[in-house]
Amino acid sequence: MASRQVLLVAAAAIAATFLLAPASAEVFTVGDAAGWTLKYPATWTHGKTFVVGDSLTFMYPSDKHNVMEVTGADFKACNVTGNALGTWNSGSDTVPLAKAGRRWFVCGVGNHCAQGMKFLVVTADSTAQSPAAPPSSSASFISGAVSQAIAAACAVAAAAFMF
């Protein structure tokens, strides 16, 4: 009888570990392999889900580009001479997504914004349930691993009750 209880407790602990573990914050490299350059893909944000706790990393040649956070109106007009909400120029900048909402980023050098070096990020509250994009292969793997762990824990618990 005691061994059944131990198995049941072990199965519950395994299931709780996977179900209660917080999601890890994700670091997104803006533009992926192209980086934050004139070759920045305009569709970079498509299919990505950004949540509070994630961060954006901008990689670019610091003598050719910068990163400016601007208002929605300045974004739309590519106004880089207005009041920037933030400016980064190191060539390797990480911007945390600390709160839910919309944020607009542009390159403030020359006419780079007009050439497409700009994007909008919509950050969701990490506790909100929103429809997610289809999982990437790593997300599918993790989801599958969690499902398998839960199934194994249930099997162990069921076996404990059978004997």
Side-chain angles (χ1 to χ4, degrees), residues 40 44-45 50 75 101-105 118-122:
Y40 165 79
W44 178 74
T45 59
F50 302 95
F75 175 84
R102 295 174 175 261
R103 295 178 73 179
W104 297 269
F105 296 93
K118 64 181 193 172
F119 70 97
L120 160 68
V121 169
V122 179

Side-chain angles (χ1 to χ4, degrees), residues 22-26 49-54 97-101 123-130:
S24 297
E26 191 162 349
T49 302
F50 302 95
V51 296
V52 171
D54 289 347
L97 300 175
K99 62 181 181 176
T123 306
D125 187 338
S126 59
T127 60
Q129 294 294 329
S130 61

Side-chain angles (χ1 to χ4, degrees), residues 70-93:
V70 296
T71 65
D74 286 341
F75 175 84
K76 194 172 191 176
C78 275
N79 179 11
V80 296
T81 60
N83 295 323
L85 303 174
T87 302
W88 298 267
N89 55 20
S90 75
S92 177
D93 305 307

Side-chain angles (χ1 to χ4, degrees), residues 8 12 18 31 37 47 55 66 74 93 97 105 115 122 131 155 161 163:
L8 183 59
F18 283 103
T37 66
S55 58
N66 69 9
D74 286 341
D93 305 307
L97 300 175
F105 296 93
Q115 292 182 45
V122 179
F161 285 115
F163 295 103

Side-chain angles (χ1 to χ4, degrees), residues 36-38 63-66 78 80 106-118:
W36 183 239
T37 66
L38 288 171
D63 61 330
K64 297 184 186 329
H65 304 290
N66 69 9
C78 275
V80 296
V106 301
C107 178
V109 174
N111 67 349
H112 294 183
C113 178
Q115 292 182 45
M117 279 188 74
K118 64 181 193 172

